[in-house]
Amino acid sequence: MKIDRRSFLSFVIGGAAGTAFTPLPWKLTDDSAIWTQMWPWTPVPDYGEVSYVNSTCTLCPGGCGITVRKIEERVVKIEGLSGHPVNDGGLCLLGLSGAQLLYGPRRVKTPLKKVNGKFRRISWDEAIGELATKLADLRAKGGSHKVAFIAASDQGTLPELINRFLTVYGSPNFIRTPSILDSYELTLDLMHGVQALPGFDIENTDFVLSFGSGLLDGWGSPVHMFRANSSWRDRKSTVVQIEPRLSNTAAKSDKWIPIKPGTEGALALGLAHVIIKESLYKKDFVHNYTIGFEKWRRPVVDGFSPDIVAKITDVDQTTITDLARKFARASKPLAVCGRGRGTTPGSLKEFMAVHALNALVGNLNMAGGLWTIPDADYIDWPELEMDDTASTGMQKGRIDGAGSQNYPHARYLFNRLSEVINSASSPPIDVLGVVGSNPVYTAPDTLSTKEAFEKIPLVVSFSSYMDETAEMADLILPNHIYLERYEDVPVISGIKYPLIGLAKPVIDPQFNTKHTGDVIILLAQALGGFIANAFPWESYEACLEETLGDKWETLLQQGFWLNVSFSPPSWAKAFETASGKFEFVNDQIDALPRFSSLKPEGKEASFPLVLIPYDSMRLQREFIGNPPFVIKTVEDTVLKANDVLVEISPDTARPLGLKEGGYAELSTPKGSARVKVHIYDGIKPGLVAIPAGLGHTAYSKYLAGKGVNINSLIGPVEDPASGHDAAWGIRAKLSKA
Amino acid sequence: MSTLDDQANQAVNAETSEAEETAFQVNDQRKGSGGYIILFFILGFVASLIVGWVIFPKLLYSQRKQPVEFNHALHNGEVDEACESCHFFREDGSYSGVPKLAQCIDCHEEVQGESEAEAKFVSEYVQKNREVPWLVYSRQPPCVFFSHAAHVKKAGMECVECHGPIGESESLKPYEQNRITGYSRDIWGANIAGLKKNAWDRMKMDDCVECHRTNNVNQGSVQTHKGGCFVCHH
Ligand code: SF4
């Protein structure tokens, strides 16, 4: 017998024929089909009991109620809470993606200490012990005022605990990160004489006049604004958007008025001019409840006639006159300001000019108007007892200069921090705590911010994520994320009622993290004496429960506490100025409308264009960076692969020889970057618009390295009236690359 | 010209006859080895039958032991509500499936009886508060949606109709896992040809369909009907 090729073939054929009579081919086909349906790397939630936990989203100041769907002990979905006064079931992209922040790759999983430039794990006891020793030493040397904390809010128990700690320790340096709240608070302080939050009865307005506010791009409480937008549509209200770029808000408005950026305040005064000249203002209010109208009116009438304003703003005269008439004749008009998402405080005089329009039409504390909402007052802790060290420290004056002779009105001046640190010969801050914020990324002028942070001997980050600030920190004491912790959230984003939300743990902490409130209490206890006495609670949770008192149960059950019976004070009682009236002029800040637009930084000769940032719901520019799901939604006219696209008008592109999608070098006095060009009809010639919220260097690979951080190209511009950052753009140059 | 053509034809003829000769030789050989060829065919045929019916099923499944030994029959005698005592429906109507540790702890906080499995269960799981990683024989792929409530509560079916007399078993059989799909052998059924004697021998889609057809219920969810796919698949 010879086994040759033919017998082999015969064997194979026999085998093939035989196989057809076995289950093998059919079974394999079936199994491979099932295998393809069940790729092992496709995430599949576990089987188990479904439950829902109601809580509050704290990813932005919006204050939305959420209901978190869990399967056993895993969060699988976050939905908007129906019936919640802010969002009534709605949710934004970021809120929806919260599970990715919980399980995503960039959590800080345990306390970390930087040793020789590298992070090393340490225990909580070591971490708190080390920080307490450092603080005790510094205090003993009389350096208590050299400790500062940066936080995103100054309301609620956590910020109050930090502030209390600083006070009794002996430092006045609690710093809130900037936003339009700074300017609105100041406006209300100077014109109404009250310390209050602005509340907008915006859903009942029938004529919204927005001076560049990104009403549908993340301004105020974003989801609330979306709901307001539907109510405007239903009630046929008019929305007028004044801004140099056709943003989402502008596109959805009834009228878009492209304006020369930075001149919005002048336009407001131009409208006031027409309203006064044509006697369209609310006489009852203006004559009986205001003071200084005559004094204010003169320069407005003389200096802001439509023809003058048209030249300043690039808005033509008839548009100005028309707009003024329509605004004043509407039954519930409302003017709002604060550009984009409202992350930059802006020019105080601009805010006051816009607010004066509200006063002229008499909408203050009226339906559809602007209401003053008292600050939350439920935190009523025992008086502090302080030792001499603390009192001396508290008298040293704030490091950012807020409240000093130069900046008497500002409460916090975060924007001055880098400059103060960088210009000092020895570091004015020895220990800096950073809570719920990411200043290294969010502060304008990234280079000098980094320089300043490097100069601070001990930076302590309380971030749950390895963000840009955490990366630069010497010590990271990671907080639980919002889904793992309790926190009361007094809503400060323009809701018209006093409202407190409660974030509560929907799941056990996933890592070795600790509530920052508990860390502060532990630190105080470690320091002992008066400091420890100021914190009689055994834990943050105990403190919270005690502080909220009878609101606690409501908050636990309902997720929010709302003062439904609230109505803003009537005109007779609303104003607490010296005169008891609304003040059009305020001599303290020379608020007469000698309005001149704040110039952007840089010389026109070398930087012929002007760069402006823009916001959208798809890009987060504050503490929380875009989770992977959100970054996926960014259009490719904004971000293509890792390149950011800047918008310019065809008229700007032509002489520069720039083509759609082509590369260009974008430079400003602060830095330069390689960008792609998107030619867009919806932007005024001479401008370059860049999306804010990109260009992270930290977080995960899903976010880092994508695009350019606007803050690396722009610097703060100090508002002469308040000291806050009023930069709305910067001079720039674009050249083909 | 014609001369050239002739030459060419001759050349072609010569080549043809050479080729024929070779063919004859081959045929001779074929005649000689014809029996072997059939033999090899049969060998291949038989070998593949053995591979397909015997070796393949052995290779396809890996055997895994359950983490803890369990006696259904014993438990069944102790509880009041038969299967539903442990495999119950939650308040929202969803089916709880394999019990969680919390339920076991109700009775097994302390070691009961003398069995080794019990001691292991208490020390390894109860005391450490660890869930037992039971291997679920009837676990369907995640793309399948199956409502126990619809079948048990609404249609009044008995557990045994799909799961067989598992409640009477005294030990847990090894869990056989399909190496390709990762799923339990019980879905396809123990018989590699997919044949079944009892309704509970297999749990493939065809088996769902068969039962729905026989009982003439919810035929809309059977694959032949439009819109039926997403009743059971997602
Ligand atoms: S708007 Fe803000 S608070 Fe509301 S869901 Fe989005 S991130 Fe959360």
Side-chain angles (χ1 to χ4, degrees):
Chain A
M1 184 172 91
K2 205 167 124 216
I3 300 177
D4 55 10
R5 193 170 133 257
R6 286 194 307 142
S7 36
F8 176 72
L9 280 177
S10 175
F11 181 80
V12 170
I13 293 168
T19 306
F21 288 93
T22 72
L24 191 142
W26 329 114
K27 178 76 175 119
L28 277 185
T29 314
D30 187 74
D31 281 353
S32 34
I34 294 179
W35 176 67
T36 59
Q37 290 164 15
M38 243 74 56
W39 305 114
W41 51 87
T42 310
V44 176
D46 261 351
Y47 288 85
E49 186 163 6
V50 176
S51 59
Y52 289 86
V53 186
N54 296 349
S55 183
T56 297
C57 177
T58 65
L59 298 177
C60 89
C64 297
I66 52 174
T67 175
V68 181
R69 184 179 141 93
K70 281 168 52 178
I71 293 194
E72 297 291 331
E73 277 312 297
R74 184 148 181 117
V75 170
V76 292
K77 192 176 181 220
I78 301 178
E79 295 163 7
L81 184 61
S82 300
H84 193 281
V86 172
N87 57 325
D88 189 20
L91 212 58
C92 82
L93 267 175
L94 178 64
L96 279 169
S97 321
Q100 290 191 325
L101 296 168
L102 176 64
Y103 299 119
R106 286 297 267 177
R107 293 281 310 262
V108 181
K109 299 180 180 160
T110 175
L112 297 173
K113 179 188 174 178
K114 205 177 257 165
V115 183
N116 299 329
K118 284 224 169 82
F119 281 117
R120 197 169 62 81
R121 292 155 174 267
I122 53 170
S123 70
W124 275 105
D125 284 349
E126 279 177 277
I128 293 173
E130 227 169 86
L131 184 54
T133 316
K134 172 83 198 177
L135 290 174
D137 288 352
L138 192 62
R139 192 168 198 266
K141 282 190 252 156
S144 68
H145 60 288
K146 291 179 151 193
V147 175
F149 265 80
I150 297 175
S153 169
D154 59 355
Q155 299 209 15
T157 46
L158 180 59
E160 290 282 2
L161 277 178
I162 297 172
N163 211 348
R164 187 174 177 84
F165 177 83
L166 284 174
T167 309
V168 70
Y169 174 83
S171 166
N173 291 313
F174 178 92
I175 302 163
R176 184 178 74 185
T177 52
S179 72
I180 53 168
L181 195 54
D182 292 308
S183 295
Y184 261 121
E185 277 177 349
L186 250 180
T187 304
L188 296 181
D189 182 14
L190 294 170
M191 299 177 102
H192 293 228
V194 294
Q195 166 71 42
L197 297 164
F200 304 94
D201 188 14
I202 203 158
E203 54 272 41
N204 293 317
T205 303
D206 68 353
F207 195 107
V208 188
L209 183 57
S210 153
F211 288 84
S213 303
L215 302 179
L216 303 178
D217 294 296
W219 183 91
S221 175
V223 180
H224 191 71
M225 292 307 298
F226 283 129
R227 287 182 53 214
N229 184 45
S230 343
S231 91
W232 300 331
R233 300 289 141 236
D234 295 346
R235 295 185 307 105
K236 311 237 171 329
S237 307
T238 307
V239 181
V240 176
Q241 180 70 2
I242 303 161
E243 71 173 310
R245 175 182 170 271
L246 183 66
S247 63
N248 260 332
T249 310
K252 297 212 171 79
S253 67
D254 299 287
K255 190 175 170 72
W256 167 46
I257 301 181
I259 188 173
K260 195 169 159 197
T263 65
E264 289 84 349
L267 180 62
L269 294 173
L271 299 177
H273 173 102
V274 178
I275 293 173
I276 296 169
K277 267 288 190 77
E278 301 190 2
S279 196
L280 298 171
Y281 57 91
K282 188 80 106 269
K283 317 240 164 25
D284 170 29
F285 178 73
V286 172
H287 292 154
N288 300 321
Y289 301 98
T290 72
I291 198 162
F293 179 62
E294 281 308 313
K295 199 169 168 194
W296 180 76
R297 142 182 216 267
R298 234 170 301 130
V300 174
V301 170
D302 295 347
F304 291 88
S305 59
D307 56 321
I308 301 177
V309 173
K311 283 196 200 96
I312 305 176
T313 58
D314 268 4
V315 178
D316 65 70
Q317 285 188 51
T318 33
T319 308
I320 299 174
T321 323
D322 242 34
L323 184 60
R325 287 178 188 152
K326 284 195 178 128
F327 178 70
R329 286 183 184 142
S331 70
K332 291 176 202 152
L334 173 66
V336 298
C337 59
R339 288 179 185 77
R341 275 182 176 264
T343 45
T344 307
S347 146
L348 180 60
K349 287 197 178 176
E350 183 180 310
F351 273 70
M352 292 178 75
V354 172
H355 194 57
L357 284 179
N358 287 326
L360 284 180
V361 295
N363 74 15
L364 305 177
N365 291 355
M366 300 298 275
L370 189 150
W371 299 7
T372 47
I373 312 292
D375 279 352
D377 61 354
Y378 58 92
I379 300 185
D380 190 13
W381 292 334
E383 270 298 297
L384 276 181
E385 279 185 54
M386 318 221 297
D387 57 10
D388 288 346
T389 321
S391 310
T392 325
M394 283 303 285
Q395 279 156 18
K396 283 272 168 43
R398 291 175 58 91
I399 159 160
D400 60 7
S404 69
Q405 226 172 3
N406 290 342
Y407 308 97
H409 306 295
R411 297 168 67 200
Y412 315 104
L413 286 171
F414 171 85
N415 53 306
R416 295 197 63 244
L417 216 53
S418 312
E419 188 202 314
V420 171
I421 296 172
N422 290 336
S423 59
S425 48
S426 71
I429 297 185
D430 265 4
V431 180
L432 175 69
V434 182
V435 180
S437 49
N438 182 12
V440 174
Y441 174 80
T442 60
D445 198 347
T446 312
L447 262 185
S448 78
T449 312
K450 281 192 172 163
E451 189 189 329
F453 268 69
E454 264 158 17
K455 285 189 177 153
I456 302 172
L458 180 62
V459 175
V460 187
S461 163
F462 292 82
S463 179
S464 313
Y465 312 102
M466 195 48 104
D467 53 36
E468 283 80 358
T469 310
E471 276 185 350
M472 287 201 75
D474 304 287
L475 199 58
I476 310 180
L477 307 180
N479 196 357
H480 306 319
I481 82 154
Y482 74 117
L483 298 171
E484 301 165 326
R485 69 170 189 246
Y486 276 111
E487 190 167 345
D488 50 329
V489 192
V491 180
I492 52 166
S493 51
I495 305 295
K496 62 176 175 182
Y497 306 108
L499 172 69
I500 310 167
L502 180 73
K504 65 178 179 223
V506 296
I507 190 165
D508 287 340
Q510 302 292 295
F511 303 107
N512 182 22
T513 52
K514 207 184 251 317
H515 198 299
T516 300
D518 283 318
V519 175
I520 298 292
I521 294 175
L522 288 171
L523 267 179
Q525 283 162 1
L527 287 164
F530 283 113
I531 304 180
N533 294 345
F535 295 82
W537 308 281
E538 99 202 7
S539 68
Y540 173 76
E541 202 183 319
C543 163
L544 186 63
E545 192 179 335
E546 189 190 309
T547 309
L548 287 162
D550 51 2
K551 297 187 179 79
W552 176 247
E553 278 306 314
T554 318
L555 276 165
L556 268 187
Q557 262 147 42
Q558 190 169 256
F560 62 90
W561 176 90
L562 176 70
N563 183 353
V564 257
S565 60
F566 174 81
S567 61
S570 65
W571 289 339
K573 295 186 191 136
F575 308 109
E576 294 171 24
T577 49
S579 57
K581 293 183 171 180
F582 177 90
E583 298 196 346
F584 271 102
V585 285
N586 193 307
D587 293 336
Q588 292 182 59
I589 64 153
D590 182 20
L592 281 177
R594 292 189 201 101
F595 189 87
S596 64
S597 310
L598 281 182
K599 296 257 172 309
E601 183 180 350
K603 294 219 163 56
E604 191 169 347
S606 26
F607 298 102
L609 302 171
V610 171
L611 176 71
I612 55 168
Y614 72 87
D615 289 326
S616 91
M617 283 304 292
R618 297 170 196 226
L619 282 168
Q620 306 303 322
R621 65 186 294 185
E622 286 294 291
F623 172 46
I624 304 288
N626 264 25
F629 175 62
V630 183
I631 198 85
K632 275 276 176 202
T633 68
V634 176
E635 308 92 320
D636 68 358
T637 49
V638 175
L639 179 73
K640 200 157 197 171
N642 284 343
D643 293 314
V644 62
L645 285 97
V646 296
E647 294 173 354
I648 48 173
S649 77
D651 291 345
T652 313
R654 219 168 299 119
L656 296 171
L658 293 169
K659 299 241 152 41
E660 174 71 27
Y663 280 107
E665 179 79 10
L666 172 65
S667 44
T668 71
K670 288 292 175 216
S672 62
R674 190 177 151 88
V675 296
K676 275 190 169 180
V677 171
H678 173 46
I679 296 174
Y680 184 46
D681 283 319
I683 183 162
K684 276 181 84 73
L687 299 181
V688 186
I690 188 167
L694 290 168
H696 275 277
T697 52
Y699 281 104
S700 64
K701 62 175 177 186
Y702 304 103
L703 185 56
K706 293 191 187 295
V708 175
N709 181 2
I710 168 70
N711 294 312
S712 64
L713 297 171
I714 198 171
V717 171
E718 202 171 286
D719 179 24
S722 68
H724 285 294
D725 179 17
W728 47 264
I730 188 164
R731 291 228 147 256
K733 196 173 97 187
L734 205 55
S735 47
K736 209 166 162 176
Chain B
M1 283 295 277
S2 63
T3 334
L4 272 178
D5 278 348
D6 288 346
Q7 281 172 359
N9 281 340
Q10 278 165 17
V12 172
N13 287 341
E15 268 174 34
T16 321
S17 56
E18 253 174 56
E20 275 168 10
E21 244 167 65
T22 330
F24 281 133
Q25 284 166 12
V26 174
N27 274 347
D28 281 349
Q29 272 179 20
R30 215 179 260 167
K31 269 176 210 149
S33 59
Y36 290 131
I37 290 167
I38 291 172
L39 179 68
F40 276 108
F41 180 85
I42 292 172
L43 276 179
F45 195 88
V46 173
S48 67
L49 289 184
I50 296 173
V51 168
W53 288 99
V54 184
I55 302 177
F56 168 64
K58 289 223 162 66
L59 288 178
L60 184 61
Y61 295 105
S62 66
Q63 296 223 338
R64 291 168 63 188
K65 263 182 66 182
Q66 292 284 0
V68 179
E69 195 43 73
F70 184 84
N71 185 336
H72 270 100
L74 181 75
H75 284 81
N76 226 341
E78 301 280 326
V79 295
D80 301 329
E81 289 175 49
C83 308
E84 277 203 42
S85 313
C86 301
H87 306 280
F88 58 90
F89 286 88
R90 300 191 190 98
E91 260 170 35
D92 63 356
S94 63
Y95 174 65
S96 68
V98 174
K100 293 272 165 192
L101 189 66
Q103 287 157 248
C104 307
I105 288 181
D106 282 346
C107 303
H108 292 266
E109 184 98 63
E110 303 292 331
V111 179
Q112 311 221 12
E114 312 252 293
S115 88
E116 216 173 278
E118 168 79 14
K120 178 180 168 197
F121 171 65
V122 174
S123 66
E124 287 287 300
Y125 299 100
V126 178
Q127 284 168 4
K128 292 185 183 159
N129 197 22
R130 269 174 52 200
E131 287 294 337
V132 185
W134 297 111
L135 301 160
V136 185
Y137 302 110
S138 50
R139 168 83 78 232
Q140 291 283 344
C143 62
V144 178
F145 173 79
F146 177 83
S147 163
H148 274 89
H151 292 84
V152 179
K153 294 287 179 200
K154 200 162 159 235
M157 287 172 73
E158 294 294 331
C159 307
V160 71
E161 291 181 52
C162 301
H163 293 284
I166 189 150
E168 292 160 24
S169 67
E170 296 191 341
S171 64
L172 296 173
K173 62 178 181 181
Y175 176 88
E176 289 185 78
Q177 188 179 32
N178 186 312
R179 292 187 205 266
I180 300 172
T181 64
Y183 281 90
S184 160
R185 182 171 191 165
D186 290 27
I187 306 299
W188 175 270
N191 185 305
I192 193 71
L195 302 175
K196 65 174 176 184
K197 279 201 227 88
N198 305 303
W200 57 79
D201 285 345
R202 277 170 51 106
M203 288 184 144
K204 294 281 288 178
M205 189 172 89
D206 290 348
D207 303 285
C208 306
V209 172
E210 187 186 305
C211 190
H212 275 252
R213 283 225 172 98
T214 340
N215 293 309
N216 198 20
V217 282
N218 285 344
Q219 296 276 319
S221 59
V222 172
Q223 67 190 124
T224 48
H225 284 69
K226 243 188 165 180
C229 309
F230 296 110
V231 176
C232 309
H233 290 278
H234 51 112

